[in-house]
Every structure is written in C-alpha cells, then in structure tokens.
Amino acid sequence: MELTFLAGASLVAALIVLLIGYITFRRAYRVAAPNEALVITGRAPARVKGGDIDLESGTRIVVGSRAFVRPLFDRAHSVSLSSRQINVEVESQSVDGIFLRLQAVAQVKIGEEVGEIRKAAQRFLDQQDKIDSYSQEILSGALRAVVGTLTVTAVLQDRTTFALKVQENAVDSMNNQGLVIDTLQIISVADDGDYLRNLGRPEASKKEQEARIAESEARRTSTEAENRDSQKIAESQKELDLRNATIAKETAEQRAEAEAAQELARSRQRQQVLDEQQKIADQENDLRERELVREIRKPADAQEYAAGRQADAERYAREQESKAALIEAQNEAESVRARGVAEADATRAKGEADAASIQANAEAYQQFNEAAVLSQVLEALPGIAREIAAPMSNIDSLSIVSSDGESKLSQNVSAGMARTMESVQSATGLDIKSLIESALSGRDRSETVANVASQVDAEPEATDVPSEKPAE
C-alpha cells in the first residue's frame, strides 16, 4: 500500500512538474506579430576594444520572428509598428506676407530598422501614446518653417513639392526618435480674406472664357457634323425607301402573276372536277330513273288500278247508304212533323186555358173593393214582418243597451214595416197606411189598431229571436 501511495504521489509530482514546465515554456517562447517588435533585455553587455562596454549588445530586437526568453533572466517588451494618422493644423505667414491656415495629414510609424526600433524603445516604450503628440509638434513646426520660405502661389500650385519640403525639414527630428514619415498630404490652404479667391479669378475668368469658346466651337462643329450626318442618313434612307418600293412593286407584280396562275390552274382543275361530277351525276340519274320505273311506276300503275276498283266499290256502297239514309230521314221528318202538330195543339190549348184564368182574375180584381185590397195587404203583412225579423235569428247572443228593454225589438220591427210600406208607396203608388185608415173610418180606431198590432206582434214571436242579454 505504501508503494501504491508513493507511486501515486510520484505521478502527481511528475504531472505538476510537466505542467509548470509547459507554462514556463509557453511564457518563454515568444513570436512577434507582423506589426510588432519584441525588445528582449537581460543579457550581459559585451566589451569592445579599449575596455568600453557596448550597451546595445545586451538588447535583442526581434521583428517578424520568434525568440526564447529565459525565465528569471530575460524580459520581453512589445513595441507597436502600426501606422499612426497625425492631423496637423497650423497658421503661418508666407514669404509674401499673406497669413495662411493650412491643414495636413501624415502617416507616421516606428521604423523597421533595428536601430530605429532601439531608439523608439528607449524613448517611447512606456509612453507609446505620446508618439502622436510628439509627431504633431514636429510636423507643425516643419510646416510653419516651410510656409515661411514660399509664396502663396508656390504653396497652391505645387503642393507635392511643398509636402516633400515639409518631410525633409522634419525627417531628422523624426529619425532621431526612431520615427519615419510614410506620407504627408496638404489637405487645404485658406486665408482670412479674399486673397486666395481673387488670386485665381483672372485665371479662372480666362479659363472660363476659353472654356465657353471651346464649348461653342465644339457645339458648332458638333452641330455641323450632326447636320451632315442627318443629311447623309436622309439620303441613304431615301435610297433605301426607293429601293424597297421598287422591290415591293416587283414582288407584288410577281406575286399577283403567281396568284393569277394559281387561281387559273385551280379554276381549270375545278372545271375538270365538275365535268367529271356531271358525268357521274348523269349516269346516276339514268340509273335512278330506270330504278324508279321498276320500283315505283309499275307498282303505282297496279295500285292505281286497284284504287280505281276500290273507289268504284266504295262509291256504290255510299250511294246505297245515301238512299237508305234519305228514306230514314224522310220517315223521321214525318214523325217529327206529327209530334210538332200534337205539341202545338197542346200548347195552344194550355195557353187558351191560362188566358181564360188570367181574364177571370182580371175581372175579379176589377171587382175588388178597398176591403178586398185591405184583406190581401193584411195577409201579406205577417210575411213582411217575418222577413224583417229574419236577420235576427242568425244572432247567437244579443246585448241591448236601452232603458226600454225587450220592447225595443217590437219597436224595431214596427219601424222596419213602416219603412217597407213607404218603399211600396214610392215604387207602386199604393198607400197602404191610407188604405188601412180609410177602411177603419167609422169604427173604433183603437180596437182596430190593437187587432192589427196583435197580428203584427204575433209574427216575430213565431220566429227564432236570439236570447237577450241585459247591458252591463
């Protein structure tokens, strides 16, 4: 068991040692990036002839390569070789006394040479962010110095030369710090007044005039060329149209001739076909005629003969039937005549009897006096009262709203009869009321009226009067 524990402890220790060794190796093995320079220090400086110490020999510079940094003995420092954009704005006076404002942009970086990297590391290793401000100051001074030696025209017309002079003026100061200027461009040049604007106006006016003249000349030349081209195009189009018209005419004539020839050939072919069809039709007609003679005419002749014989037989039968019908009609006419004479005699006898009856009634009516007429009227009054009261028999339940009670029904019937007698008087001229009054003169009027009223009242009682319901 102790052996197992020792073996495990040894394995863990070995793993720890390997891990420490791997971490140490990873930290000691350094590879420089493309935009980076490694400054490795820690080696002892070498001595040169004369006993002096070479301080640079103790520093190694690694650019775009790899190096092994000894743990506990060496230290590696990173220096960026990336380009930096420096914006420069200065105000300076030119040699001809014009105050100018200039803007420029420069691309500055640490040089790629070992010596330049060593100089930059000695000056900016711990303050690389100060490179921008330092470069800006150097370039501003160089820009002022160069502007003071040039005229405004030189600055404006040859900016490339101006930028090169600024670089030449600043290159020594930059190189002493391990810095190099990749590019320098003048962005703008301005002044406080209108000097720069007026400076270019004569030249601008001249150029504008030349441009207008050149433009006018070019427009005139272009117009003339266009006109000539248009004329040539029109002439060419005319020739083309004439040629197309000639070709179209010839084509139309040839097409018409071809169509006429084709139509003539088709007409001849159709005529030949018609002739052949006519011959075939004639042959078919002859054949059909012979077939009709065989199939129709001969059977028709036989049928005609048979029809004639049948018609003779039917005619004879009809003649016989007509004779029999004539004899029967004559017998029927004699019978009808006899019945008519008998019916006429009976009708005449009946009419004579009716006439005698009517004559007797008329003579009897002429002999009627007022008493007989009154008797007939009194016989008719109950029927009239019955017809007046008939609508009440169709009423199931009747409510009378009156203080008179049931006597109102009799009064209504009496009123209806009075209106009926008035209607008879207006239609026939017979005054039933006057007739009754004249018949009752000399007698007890009250007794007669009571008798008449009793007769009138007796008739409604015989009819079916609906049950009366007192008004609520």
Side-chain angles (χ1 to χ4, degrees):
M1 185 175 180
E2 293 180 357
L3 294 176
T4 303
F5 177 75
L6 292 175
S10 300
L11 181 59
V12 172
L15 292 174
I16 294 173
V17 171
L18 290 175
L19 180 60
I20 294 173
Y22 175 75
I23 295 174
T24 304
F25 178 78
R26 286 287 299 170
R27 297 186 61 183
Y29 188 80
R30 300 289 299 275
V31 179
N35 62 338
E36 180 186 26
L38 295 177
V39 179
I40 301 173
T41 59
R43 291 187 178 184
R47 293 182 178 274
V48 296
K49 294 180 180 180
D52 294 331
I53 298 174
D54 186 5
L55 297 177
E56 296 180 358
S57 61
T59 303
R60 285 189 300 160
I61 305 298
V62 179
V63 179
S65 182
R66 62 182 179 274
F68 185 79
V69 180
R70 295 176 301 173
L72 303 177
F73 297 100
D74 297 337
R75 292 186 63 186
H77 306 275
S78 176
V79 177
S80 176
L81 303 180
S82 299
S83 179
R84 305 166 184 270
Q85 179 174 314
I86 308 300
N87 294 317
V88 181
E89 295 183 5
V90 298
E91 295 180 355
S92 180
Q93 189 175 7
S94 64
V95 71
D96 47 5
I98 303 302
F99 193 76
L100 300 176
R101 293 193 304 275
L102 296 96
Q103 292 183 354
V105 60
Q107 300 294 331
V108 177
K109 63 184 292 292
I110 296 174
E112 297 178 357
E113 298 295 332
V114 175
E116 295 172 342
I117 295 174
R118 183 176 283 110
K119 292 178 181 179
Q122 292 175 356
R123 292 165 176 78
F124 303 108
L125 183 61
D126 294 333
Q127 49 180 3
Q128 296 186 39
D129 54 340
K130 301 294 184 179
I131 294 176
D132 293 351
S133 59
Y134 178 79
S135 300
Q136 188 176 22
E137 294 296 332
I138 293 177
L139 292 175
S140 298
L143 193 58
R144 292 189 186 92
V146 174
V147 169
T149 61
L150 298 176
T151 61
V152 176
T153 304
V155 172
L156 295 175
Q157 293 180 352
D158 194 359
R159 293 191 179 186
T160 303
T161 304
F162 175 49
L164 291 176
K165 289 183 177 181
V166 173
Q167 292 187 45
E168 292 175 357
N169 188 278
V171 66
D172 293 337
S173 300
M174 299 291 287
N175 289 340
N176 289 336
Q177 306 298 320
L179 304 175
V180 295
I181 302 175
D182 284 343
T183 60
L184 177 65
Q185 298 291 333
I186 305 300
I187 297 177
S188 65
V189 178
D191 64 343
D192 293 335
D194 296 332
Y195 179 81
L196 296 180
R197 186 179 302 173
N198 296 330
L199 185 64
R201 291 182 64 181
E203 187 66 21
S205 299
K206 180 179 178 181
K207 294 298 181 182
E208 183 178 1
Q209 183 179 4
E210 292 177 355
R212 290 180 179 176
I213 294 172
E215 184 179 359
S216 177
E217 184 67 23
R219 189 181 299 109
R220 182 181 62 79
T221 303
S222 176
T223 303
E224 292 177 354
E226 289 179 358
N227 293 335
R228 289 193 299 268
D229 293 340
S230 299
Q231 184 177 359
K232 290 180 180 180
I233 291 172
E235 293 175 355
S236 177
Q237 186 66 35
K238 179 181 178 182
E239 294 178 358
L240 178 61
D241 294 341
L242 293 175
R243 180 59 181 166
N244 290 336
T246 303
I247 294 173
K249 180 180 179 182
E250 295 175 354
T251 302
E253 292 176 354
Q254 294 177 1
R255 185 182 294 109
E257 293 177 357
E259 291 177 355
Q262 292 177 0
E263 186 64 27
L264 181 60
R266 285 195 292 268
S267 299
R268 291 175 180 174
Q269 186 176 6
R270 285 196 297 270
Q271 186 62 40
Q272 293 177 0
V273 173
L274 292 175
D275 293 342
E276 293 297 328
Q277 292 177 350
Q278 185 65 36
K279 291 179 181 180
I280 295 172
D282 293 340
Q283 294 176 0
E284 291 178 350
N285 290 334
D286 294 340
L287 178 60
R288 185 59 180 165
E289 185 176 359
R290 289 194 295 270
E291 290 178 353
L292 291 175
V293 170
R294 183 178 68 254
E295 296 176 357
I296 299 177
R297 181 176 296 176
K298 290 181 179 181
D301 293 340
Q303 292 177 0
E304 182 180 359
Y305 176 75
R309 298 297 298 171
Q310 184 177 359
D312 293 338
E314 292 177 354
R315 184 169 58 253
Y316 178 75
R318 286 195 298 271
E319 289 177 356
Q320 296 298 324
E321 291 176 357
S322 297
K323 290 179 181 180
L326 180 59
I327 293 171
E328 184 178 358
Q330 291 176 353
N331 296 331
E332 182 69 23
E334 291 295 334
S335 176
V336 170
R337 188 180 299 112
R339 285 196 304 269
V341 171
E343 290 177 358
D345 292 340
T347 301
R348 183 169 56 253
K350 183 179 180 181
E352 290 176 355
D354 292 339
S357 177
I358 293 171
Q359 182 67 28
N361 290 331
E363 291 176 357
Y365 288 146
Q366 289 179 358
Q367 295 177 2
F368 276 4
N369 54 17
E370 291 182 357
V373 173
L374 179 61
S375 177
Q376 293 292 328
V377 169
L378 293 177
E379 290 178 358
L381 286 178
I384 295 172
R386 186 183 303 109
E387 294 299 327
I388 293 173
M392 298 182 182
S393 64
N394 297 326
I395 300 175
D396 294 334
S397 177
L398 178 65
S399 298
I400 300 175
V401 183
S402 175
S403 60
D404 296 339
E406 298 178 355
S407 63
K408 191 64 177 179
L409 290 174
S410 300
Q411 295 177 6
N412 291 336
V413 174
S414 299
M417 292 182 65
R419 287 193 296 270
T420 302
M421 288 187 290
E422 292 176 358
S423 299
V424 171
Q425 181 181 1
S426 62
T428 62
L430 178 62
D431 189 355
I432 298 174
K433 183 178 180 182
S434 299
L435 182 62
I436 294 173
E437 289 178 353
S438 64
L440 295 178
S441 61
R443 296 178 60 183
D444 187 5
R445 183 176 302 274
S446 61
E447 180 181 357
T448 303
V449 171
N451 293 330
V452 174
S454 62
Q455 293 179 1
V456 173
D457 294 338
E459 186 64 25
E461 292 177 358
T463 60
D464 296 331
V465 178
S467 61
E468 297 179 357
K469 183 179 180 180
E472 294 180 359

